[in-house]
Every structure is written in C-alpha cells, then in structure tokens.
Amino acid sequence: MSWLLNTYRSKALEYHPDVCPPSNREESTRKFVEIRKAYDTLSDPDSRKMYDYEMSLVDSFGSRYRYEGKREGFSKKVWERQLSGLKKRSLDKSEKRNAFL
C-alpha cells in the first residue's frame, strides 16, 4: 500500500492549488480534489471493495482491463471504457424502470 501513498503524495504536490500558477488554479483544484477522493477510496478497505465491485460490473459490459502489476494506474482509454459501461448500465436501468411505469 506504500506505492499508493507515494503516488498520492507526488500527485497531490503536483496539483496542489497553492503551488500551481494562478491561471491553472481552478483546474488544479479540481484535479487535487479528485486525487484526494481517489486516495480516500483506495486506502479504505471497505471503500476499495465497493470500488472493485463497481468496476467488475463495468467489466461485465465489455470494458475489460486486466491488472498486470502496473502501478502507474489506468490509462485514459480504460477510464473512458469504464465510463461508457457505467452510462450503458444506467441507461439500461432507466429503460427497465420506465417499462414498469
């Protein structure tokens, strides 16, 4: 788990609003908050289990990502596939709900 803390620290320092140029402050603040939320999720065992479960649901819609010991994280394509899977799942739920109304 130390790699998670090291990664969090390096990214937090990179995007901390106090160290970024004023022109990038809004974007840096947004990224800093996202990094903090990700760290909170991944460092808490219960939150991590829920996150892993949710990602497994995304995998069931065709977005495959196999962890191969890479520590640098997900690529942009992986996140986009996961987001696409979540949107599809949400749309499917909405359609089922509307079918019963």
Side-chain angles (χ1 to χ4, degrees):
M1 192 65 89
S2 66
W3 66 268
L4 177 62
L5 182 58
N6 290 338
T7 302
Y8 165 72
R9 284 180 180 166
S10 70
K11 290 298 180 184
L13 287 172
E14 181 179 345
Y15 290 107
H16 196 284
D18 291 344
V19 297
C20 72
S23 61
N24 294 344
R25 185 150 294 144
E26 186 176 325
E27 178 69 13
S28 290
T29 300
R30 186 185 65 75
K31 286 184 179 183
F32 181 79
V33 169
E34 286 179 24
I35 291 165
R36 180 66 205 181
K37 286 179 183 178
Y39 176 75
D40 288 344
T41 298
L42 298 176
S43 63
D44 176 63
D46 293 331
S47 295
R48 177 65 185 256
K49 284 180 187 177
M50 181 58 80
Y51 173 82
D52 289 342
Y53 172 74
E54 290 170 355
M55 290 301 103
S56 73
L57 294 176
V58 172
D59 284 347
S60 69
F61 288 102
S63 298
R64 290 305 229 187
Y65 178 78
R66 300 206 191 288
Y67 183 78
E68 300 170 356
K70 297 179 182 176
R71 293 188 176 176
E72 56 276 351
F74 295 120
S75 70
K76 183 177 179 183
K77 286 184 179 184
V78 171
W79 289 115
E80 289 172 348
R81 285 193 311 258
Q82 291 175 342
L83 182 59
S84 175
L86 288 171
K87 287 178 181 177
K88 182 182 181 323
R89 195 172 96 220
S90 177
L91 181 62
D92 290 347
K93 279 185 173 180
S94 294
E95 288 174 353
K96 286 179 184 178
R97 194 174 322 129
N98 290 336
F100 290 110
L101 298 178

